């Protein structure tokens, strides 16, 4: 990570990240922060901003290559981190992965907003949990369909199956089965054993049972957390 971060910061693209927004912090997200990596894994960078649009997938317009792997970046306004009404699943996957922020993944911190950033780090697990609740809400029909079928069918082949299974481990505090997650992550492109498909069904059941057994008011809780961080802005 250190080698990659140094190389990225030496590019002209890194300087461009600061041109249009007030940047609060930049960190490495995606599979590099979950540890569920394989030969297809790339680099995903999240830029938290004070202003600007709520969420921008900049990789639609440009990206870098580093050792034959793509480097993508995504802008998220600070308020977007606490948005409990967004319809884009990517937003809530990103929120879920906030729990993995650690020192070696941080690319930049704006010293002007040090108090706010450290407050964000303090609540990252609670914020991550809310992201997983909202991710479940967005994908509830899909989860129910898999559970009703009792198996993972071709119509269920999506990378979000991996994200939902990963959420089931995070929410329950279990150690993620990374070998299983690596395989299920690529279900659209490569065969997955019946054993792992059955495990995916089990993990979706765990996910659903946890959410239903521990109900919370997602939008209001997002708002309450934002008020805690907002005091530092």
């Amino acid at each position: 990570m250190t080698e990659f971060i140094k190389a990225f910061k030496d590019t002209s693209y890194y300087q461009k990240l600061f041109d249009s927004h007030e940047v609060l912090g930049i960190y490495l997200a995606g599979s590099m922060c979950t540890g569920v990596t394989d030969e297809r894994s790339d680099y995903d960078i999240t830029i938290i901003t004070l202003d600007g649009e709520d969420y921008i997938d900049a990789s639609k317009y440009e990206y870098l290559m580093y050792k034959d792997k793509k480097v993508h970046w995504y802008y998220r306004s600070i308020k977007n981190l606490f948005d409990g009404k967004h319809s884009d699943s990517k937003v809530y996957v990103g929120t879920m992965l906030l729990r993995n922020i650690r020192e070696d993944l941080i690319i930049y911190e704006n010293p002007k907003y040090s108090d706010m950033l450290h407050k964000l780090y303090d609540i990252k697990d609670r914020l991550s949990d809310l992201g997983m609740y909202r991710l479940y809400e967005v994908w509830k029909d899909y989860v129910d369909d898999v559970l009703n079928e009792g198996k993972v069918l071709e119509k269920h082949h999506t990378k979000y199956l991996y994200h939902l299974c990963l959420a089931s481990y995070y929410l329950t505090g279990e150690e993620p089965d990374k070998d299983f997650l690596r395989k299920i992550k690529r279900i659209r492109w490569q065969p997955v054993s019946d054993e792992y498909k059955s495990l995916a069904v089990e993990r979706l059941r765990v996910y659903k049972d946890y959410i239903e057994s521990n109900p919370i008011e997602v939008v209001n809780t997002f708002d309450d957390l934002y008020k805690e961080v907002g005091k530092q802005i």
Side-chain angles (χ1 to χ4, degrees):
M1 293 304 99
T2 301
E3 180 183 338
F4 165 75
I5 290 172
K6 182 179 184 304
F8 178 66
K9 292 176 78 170
D10 285 340
T11 69
S12 60
Y13 283 87
Y14 174 70
Q15 297 304 320
K16 286 174 61 178
L17 301 183
F18 300 87
D19 289 347
S20 304
H21 302 281
E22 177 81 349
V23 175
L24 304 181
I26 304 173
Y27 62 92
L28 196 57
S31 58
M32 296 299 173
C33 79
T34 66
V36 185
T37 58
D38 58 21
E39 68 281 354
R40 293 177 64 100
S41 297
D42 50 20
Y43 294 87
D44 295 293
I45 294 169
T46 295
I47 304 129
I48 303 174
T49 67
L50 186 65
D51 53 3
E53 297 180 52
D54 65 344
Y55 175 80
I56 302 174
D57 179 356
S59 64
K60 293 179 179 178
Y61 313 106
E62 57 187 353
Y63 58 86
L64 294 175
M65 296 296 294
Y66 178 75
K67 295 186 176 180
D68 298 323
K69 295 182 181 295
K70 288 184 177 180
V71 181
H72 309 273
W73 49 93
Y74 309 84
Y75 291 91
R76 295 188 68 179
S77 69
I78 184 65
K79 190 166 180 57
N80 176 256
L81 293 179
F82 300 86
D83 185 349
K85 299 178 181 178
H86 214 288
S87 59
D88 189 338
S89 300
K90 285 183 180 179
V91 167
Y92 297 113
V93 169
T95 304
M96 171 177 73
L97 298 184
L98 286 171
R99 70 192 312 108
N100 295 318
I101 292 179
R102 57 182 190 268
E103 187 174 354
D104 64 310
L105 299 177
I106 295 173
I107 299 173
Y108 170 79
E109 292 179 321
N110 190 331
K112 287 171 55 179
Y113 301 101
S114 178
D115 290 345
M116 187 277 295
L117 286 170
H118 285 90
K119 182 62 180 178
L120 182 62
Y121 300 154
D122 288 343
I123 66 168
K124 64 186 176 69
D125 286 352
R126 287 191 286 162
L127 192 53
S128 172
D129 286 352
L130 287 176
M132 290 183 279
Y133 269 75
R134 183 67 183 121
L135 184 66
Y136 174 80
E137 291 175 354
V138 174
W139 283 84
K140 185 179 185 304
D141 289 346
Y142 171 89
V143 171
D144 286 344
D145 193 55
V146 173
L147 295 179
N148 288 335
E149 294 285 358
K151 61 180 70 174
V152 175
L153 304 176
E154 186 174 355
K155 65 179 179 177
H156 301 132
H157 290 189
T158 169
K159 188 176 178 180
Y160 280 100
L161 177 60
Y162 152 72
H163 294 304
L164 296 167
C165 289
L166 179 60
S168 77
Y169 288 105
Y170 284 163
L171 274 179
T172 58
E174 300 172 74
E175 185 67 27
D177 183 337
K178 293 182 180 179
D179 288 336
F180 155 66
L181 291 169
R182 284 188 188 96
K183 293 296 184 182
I184 213 73
K185 183 179 184 179
R186 306 303 183 192
I187 195 168
R188 286 180 56 197
W189 300 285
Q190 63 186 29
V192 173
S193 69
D194 289 340
E195 177 187 359
Y196 278 162
K197 287 181 180 179
S198 295
L199 181 53
V201 176
E202 291 178 26
R203 295 314 307 180
L204 293 186
R205 171 62 65 186
V206 169
Y207 193 11
K208 178 182 176 71
D209 287 349
Y210 185 93
I211 296 288
E212 293 184 348
S213 299
N214 301 276
I216 58 175
E217 215 306 311
V218 174
V219 173
N220 288 341
T221 310
F222 264 123
D223 290 342
D224 290 342
L225 284 181
Y226 181 65
K227 290 174 184 175
E228 287 187 37
V229 173
K231 293 175 183 178
Q232 311 297 329
I233 297 177

